[in-house]
Amino acid sequence: MFRVPTSVLDLAPVVPVVVIEDAADAVPLAQALVAGGLPAIEVTLRTPAALDAIREIAGAVPDAVVGAGTVLTAGQVTECVAAGARFLVSPGWTDALLAALTAAGVPFLPGVSTVSEVVALLERGVREMKFFPAQAAGGTAYLKSLAGPLPQARFCPTGGIGPDNAPEYLALPNVGCVGGTWMLPADAVAARDWARVESLARAAANLRDAGGTCR
């Protein structure tokens, strides 16, 4: 039986946000990411292959902590957990979706982009969130401004983040990790160049040191 993580934010400095078109690529892609030091893998529900990809990774890559992203409905919550997802990520939240996420029994990161959304989640006992779309919603300056009045909230910023600005986010005390796609360039995935993916993942894993604190 796999171990459910207590917090997604503490697994690695970067969570790869993965769009898988062919489930046959899921296992070698996940193995490359894990070998590079990025065990937490968010497979987004943007393709028909997503659930099969989650199922393949969960069954064949024991060192991976595979999760599901772009979770929008209670039905998707159920399907993803049944497929083996060990965490869930949504771009936003409603009370109905939050109830389903809470009942799922795995960690989850509901998406926020405003102070009111953060306060509403804190009121409901949720302290770990996805900040999305990070750059468009105010970036590091916005997150810095939240740290004072809302120090209990911790974030995984995603959206517009790459190797150049990830260290700035990781240096913030209220950021546990960031999400991104840059270690999975489309041409490398299309060519099944898993060695290149592993190399880029390893560089991303080392951003913890470049970014200062990453709790």
Side-chain angles (χ1 to χ4, degrees), residues 114-198:
T114 70
V115 175
S116 293
E117 290 170 331
V118 175
V119 172
L121 284 177
L122 290 173
E123 188 177 76
R124 290 161 173 79
V126 179
R127 297 187 175 217
E128 298 188 347
M129 313 166 196
K130 171 178 177 172
F131 179 54
F132 176 83
Q135 282 292 95
T140 55
Y142 193 93
L143 288 171
K144 283 179 185 177
S145 71
L146 294 183
L150 302 171
Q152 64 271 54
R154 297 180 68 210
F155 301 95
C156 173
T158 305
I161 297 177
D164 293 334
N165 60 0
E168 299 172 22
Y169 282 94
L170 293 171
L172 299 177
N174 56 352
V175 169
C177 63
V178 300
T181 62
W182 73 87
M183 72 297 300
L184 296 160
D187 59 339
V189 174
R192 294 177 169 84
D193 187 351
W194 308 127
R196 183 180 171 199
V197 170
E198 179 180 339

